[in-house]
Amino acid sequence: MGYGEYIRVQNMEELKYQVDLLNAMNQKLSKEEKMLRLICETSNSAFLYYNYEEDRVQTIANWDHFFDFAITDMHDLSRLYECVEEKYVIPLEEILFIERQGLKSQTIDVKLRDRRICIEVEVNVVYDALGSATDKIIRFKDVTKINSQNDELTYLAYYDILTGLYNRNYFVRLLGEYLRRAEEENETVAVMFLDFDDFRRINDGMGIIAGDELVQLFGQYLSDLIGDNIIISHFNSDIFCIGVYGPCGARSVETIYKTISERLKKPFKLSNGQEIFITVTVGVAEYPEAASKTLELINCAEIVMFKAKSTGKDKVLYYNGTILDDFLKNVKIENKLKDAVFQQNFTMYYQPQFRTNDKALRGVEALIRWKDDNGKMISPAVFIPIAEKSGAIVPIGTWVIEESLRAFAEWKRKYHYPMVMSLNVSAIQYRQPDFIDKVLNLMDKYDVSPSEIELEITESILIDDFTEITEKLVLLRDIGVKISLDDFGTGYSSLSYLKGLPIDTLKIDKSFIDTVITDENTRIITESIIYMVKKLGYETIAEGVETEEQFRYLNEIDCDNIQGYFLGKPMPSEKIENLLADMTA
Ligand code: C2E
Ligand code: CA
Ligand code: CA
């Protein structure tokens, strides 16, 4: 082989070697490329590669998933701006060309227009040793699911789903911030605690779904009132809370309440076409007057709201110190009352009633007394209303009737004195389906006849359940039980409406007797009441007669009976026996 030949062969071998090497490298490269492509394609992302030197663009992997156009030139990138929601256009442009700011890497989230896809755009630029950009890789990744999950979680953390208003927790946080700011700026913060009236009846009547829709419509209406320094929350069910920083002017509680009341003059229209009117009751408490802590402030407003409901609905009531004191006292009493029912810490007192003309004993009114564990007497005027609210009045009331009839039977057996036992009965008791049976059974048990019993009712009982209760009264009266109208003069007291009532006796309230001597007008009213009542055929009793002067005057104007400290305070059974002994001596 000559040199030339040798060189040629050498070159051939070299060439072959080179080709083999290239083949090997190619094979390796295609394996790597395949691997890289697989990685890209399964990544749920699309890539755009740009080589600066060659000014070459290439899109890789799932490009079609995001965009329906190809990019062959860097100028085509502007087509991306048309795909994203408007607010992302400028940030996107900035990130696509981060090399202009000399940056290496950056990421943003953008939302695609029309389709609700959210993509993460990540841009990486590679620089050479001299700081010139050589390659750029842009990655588009679908993060719709992750973002919507995050959004939902964020939403649930702050908002109430039904109304879109703040939820309770977030409201409490924001209100806490109001309070901190108010302390610094020496401002006030008002909380309005708002509750639908009779929501249970609406819910029962129309179903929970309609009830929810109503709450939703009202919540949507309230959201119109949100503004600078006004936050509104839906706590739950039919309860809403409004927080006002520095209430005054258009932001005053009065104005807000008035605005809401005006709206409620119109009905809410449900999707089934039904139109519903509602009223609301609002309790208001202000920082720092009512409380200095967030939760306490909300609590105060809630207590005020309850107080407002107990004195009639559809109104706004403002915090004052006594409301809270009363509430705390009531809570304590309610707890003790529960025990008292079981431990029977009650006693009966009886207050004598006398005929005015001859001071003969007409009967007694049974008045309950409660000695609490510490031996303190608690007035029935305080605990009866609480017992009525909690339902404890039912067992207590039954006990009152039984104990009184037991004592009455004892007096009858010992003294044979004809008299009447007056019993106070609350509306809750009358409402019990077995009330009449209970009374009849006890009368039977103690051998007391109907005409020896008088049940006292107040006008307020009749206002709430007129038909139901009058029906029962008529039944009782047919049997021969007397019915007496208590506290006359404190309620409606319309004489014309008296005519329709099944009553035998009318008790003129102490407030009349208190001023009957000193006030000419009271005298005129009292005299005409007695005149009218006698014409209607009822017996009269004046309550709270404390002085001889009152007694003499009442005798003069022909009031049939008197009851009061002047002739006898409420007393235990033994003292009544002394009285009976005198009467029968
Ligand atoms: P009421 O039915 O109007 O009873 C009359 C109240 O006036 C009694 O108060 C009596 O002690 C008081 N009183 C009577 N004469 C005078 C007087 O001359 N001067 C003054 N200052 N007060 C006088 P009490 O015993 O504290 O009862 C308060 C209220 O509690 C009663 O008012 C009645 O509504 C209710 N109550 C009492 N016992 C019962 C009961 O067993 N059941 C029910 N449901 N309520 C009861
Ligand atoms: Ca009474
Ligand atoms: Ca009374």
Side-chain angles (χ1 to χ4, degrees):
M1 184 195 314
Y3 184 71
E5 179 73 352
Y6 170 76
I7 294 292
R8 203 173 54 85
V9 170
Q10 278 290 312
N11 278 351
M12 280 294 285
E13 298 227 312
E14 174 76 26
L15 207 66
K16 191 169 169 286
Y17 169 77
Q18 296 257 345
V19 170
D20 285 351
L21 192 69
L22 260 174
N23 273 343
M25 274 173 69
N26 263 351
Q27 237 175 37
K28 187 169 175 254
L29 265 180
S30 76
K31 265 188 199 157
E32 269 171 12
E33 195 192 309
K34 192 178 160 201
M35 180 183 80
L36 287 174
R37 194 180 303 127
L38 266 175
I39 291 173
C40 290
E41 275 166 6
T42 53
S43 73
N44 280 331
S45 298
F47 296 87
L48 186 145
Y49 171 77
Y50 177 65
N51 185 286
Y52 286 81
E53 206 185 346
E54 299 166 15
D55 188 22
R56 177 169 60 85
V57 191
Q58 189 180 344
T59 54
I60 308 162
N62 305 296
W63 185 261
D64 301 343
H65 172 72
F66 298 97
F67 310 107
D68 55 2
F69 52 87
I71 301 239
T72 52
D73 188 290
M74 268 320 240
H75 295 297
D76 293 341
L77 275 188
S78 59
R79 296 200 59 181
L80 288 175
Y81 307 147
E82 292 157 25
C83 303
V84 300
E85 285 182 6
E86 198 167 331
K87 63 176 175 186
Y88 298 111
V89 173
I90 293 175
L92 183 64
E93 188 182 0
E94 276 174 6
I95 192 177
L96 288 179
F97 297 98
I98 50 170
E99 69 276 18
R100 290 175 188 160
Q101 302 163 61
L103 295 173
K104 271 190 185 160
S105 169
Q106 216 173 359
T107 314
I108 55 163
D109 284 358
V110 299
K111 258 200 182 125
L112 293 191
R113 231 180 256 227
D114 310 330
R115 301 191 291 155
R116 304 185 69 201
I117 290 182
C118 187
I119 53 180
E120 180 187 273
V121 182
E122 182 187 336
V123 181
N124 284 287
V125 175
V126 182
Y127 295 90
D128 64 14
L130 298 171
S132 303
T134 57
D135 308 86
K136 171 150 72 181
I137 296 157
I138 305 172
R139 184 174 62 99
F140 302 88
K141 182 179 176 192
D142 189 340
V143 289
T144 316
K145 227 191 220 159
I146 301 167
N147 273 18
S148 74
Q149 274 167 359
N150 285 344
D151 281 356
E152 218 158 88
L153 286 178
T154 318
Y155 192 83
L156 286 180
Y158 300 116
Y159 297 93
D160 160 66
I161 313 177
L162 187 62
T163 60
L165 294 169
Y166 291 134
N167 65 25
R168 187 181 196 284
N169 285 344
Y170 194 54
F171 178 84
V172 170
R173 252 169 68 189
L174 293 177
L175 193 69
E177 266 153 39
Y178 273 8
L179 258 54
R180 263 188 298 284
R181 212 171 99 205
E183 194 186 356
E184 259 173 48
E185 297 174 358
N186 216 4
E187 257 296 354
T188 57
V189 176
V191 168
M192 300 170 73
F193 198 99
L194 191 151
D195 187 278
F196 285 16
D197 297 327
D198 304 314
F199 185 58
R200 174 119 54 88
R201 216 176 53 206
I202 297 174
N203 248 348
D204 288 350
M206 310 184 313
I208 294 171
I209 294 176
D212 272 358
E213 193 181 353
L214 188 63
V215 167
Q216 189 172 40
L217 290 173
F218 182 72
Q220 277 161 6
Y221 162 69
L222 279 190
S223 64
D224 292 348
L225 306 180
I226 296 170
D228 265 359
N229 293 321
I230 299 185
I231 48 174
I232 304 185
S233 162
H234 175 221
F235 272 19
N236 58 47
S237 179
D238 58 334
I239 299 171
F240 294 82
C241 213
I242 304 178
V244 188
Y245 184 86
C248 75
R251 220 171 47 227
S252 72
V253 169
E254 294 78 19
T255 310
I256 295 172
Y257 178 73
K258 239 201 209 142
T259 312
I260 297 172
S261 303
E262 274 305 309
R263 169 61 188 87
L264 297 186
K265 285 185 184 156
K266 290 179 291 162
F268 287 95
K269 195 166 180 181
L270 302 187
S271 50
N272 64 7
Q274 215 175 349
E275 295 198 331
I276 294 170
F277 285 96
I278 56 164
T279 59
V280 298
T281 298
V282 183
V284 184
E286 254 184 38
Y287 165 92
E289 191 210 349
S292 59
K293 296 205 179 81
T294 318
L295 288 177
E296 275 172 24
L297 188 64
I298 295 173
N299 259 341
C300 274
E302 182 177 9
I303 291 166
V304 175
M305 186 279 291
F306 276 126
K307 174 77 186 174
K309 288 233 173 179
S310 72
T311 56
K313 299 158 189 172
D314 189 13
K315 60 159 84 153
V316 61
L317 187 68
Y318 295 82
Y319 169 89
N320 66 52
T322 56
I323 291 180
L324 195 65
D325 290 349
D326 286 355
F327 174 79
L328 293 175
K329 221 173 14 197
N330 279 0
V331 170
K332 271 194 207 139
I333 291 176
E334 191 173 334
N335 287 335
K336 283 191 192 171
L337 199 57
K338 276 185 200 136
D339 297 338
V341 180
F342 295 110
Q343 293 165 7
Q344 308 226 320
N345 285 347
F346 300 111
T347 327
M348 289 313 296
Y349 271 42
Y350 305 92
Q351 184 174 31
Q353 299 169 333
F354 297 94
R355 279 203 297 266
T356 318
N357 56 11
D358 57 3
K359 289 192 187 169
L361 187 70
R362 171 205 187 249
V364 297
E365 177 178 4
L367 295 162
I368 192 169
R369 294 292 175 262
W370 175 21
K371 227 184 219 159
D372 81 357
D373 295 341
N374 313 322
K376 213 181 111 205
M377 280 289 197
I378 300 177
S379 162
V382 173
F383 75 82
I384 292 287
I386 300 168
E388 285 176 338
K389 253 185 237 155
S390 71
I393 189 67
V394 176
I396 294 175
T398 307
W399 179 83
V400 165
I401 299 172
E402 169 138 30
E403 177 58 23
S404 305
L405 292 194
R406 196 195 54 73
F408 191 84
E410 181 85 7
W411 303 337
K412 223 163 88 166
R413 191 178 56 77
K414 285 189 186 158
Y415 303 98
H416 309 285
Y417 184 86
M419 60 188 275
V420 179
M421 169 67 79
S422 287
L423 295 163
N424 291 286
V425 178
S426 106
I428 321 273
Q429 288 172 270
Y430 279 108
R431 261 185 242 141
Q432 299 298 305
D434 61 348
F435 174 71
I436 293 181
D437 287 343
K438 247 186 208 166
V439 175
L440 293 182
N441 286 339
L442 289 171
M443 276 172 11
D444 218 38
K445 181 172 173 186
Y446 295 102
D447 200 19
V448 176
S449 63
S451 62
E452 292 169 317
I453 292 183
E454 183 170 65
L455 300 181
E456 298 197 358
I457 56 159
T458 57
E459 279 170 284
S460 56
I461 288 184
L462 297 168
I463 287 162
D464 287 342
D465 302 284
F466 189 84
T467 336
E468 194 191 334
I469 290 182
T470 38
E471 272 168 13
K472 287 194 178 170
L473 295 179
V474 168
L475 261 172
L476 284 161
R477 214 158 154 261
D478 285 349
I479 303 164
V481 172
K482 284 194 173 67
I483 307 292
S484 155
L485 187 64
D486 203 357
D487 302 340
F488 185 80
T490 57
Y492 267 173
S493 309
S494 142
L495 284 168
S496 60
Y497 117 116
L498 276 182
K499 267 188 293 189
L501 291 180
I503 57 168
D504 306 271
T505 313
L506 186 133
K507 298 183 81 173
I508 302 168
D509 192 67
K510 177 174 179 296
S511 57
F512 285 87
I513 312 307
D514 282 345
T515 53
V516 85
I517 301 299
T518 50
D519 182 53
E520 164 98 39
N521 285 333
T522 311
R523 259 201 311 274
I524 294 170
I525 297 169
T526 310
E527 282 168 31
S528 55
I529 289 174
I530 288 176
Y531 176 79
M532 277 289 293
V533 168
K534 284 193 162 265
K535 279 208 136 175
L536 290 168
Y538 308 145
E539 205 180 339
T540 50
I541 302 179
E543 287 191 288
V545 179
E546 293 180 343
T547 65
E548 167 133 39
E549 213 176 355
Q550 289 167 343
F551 171 73
R552 244 189 276 138
Y553 167 76
L554 290 162
N555 194 17
E556 247 166 57
I557 62 167
D558 248 0
C559 177
D560 300 319
N561 305 286
I562 64 154
Q563 178 182 344
Y565 292 176
F566 174 59
L567 288 182
K569 288 190 170 181
M571 53 186 92
S573 175
E574 308 85 73
K575 291 258 174 71
I576 294 289
E577 290 199 18
N578 294 344
L579 205 69
L580 283 168
D582 286 352
M583 290 278 159
T584 49

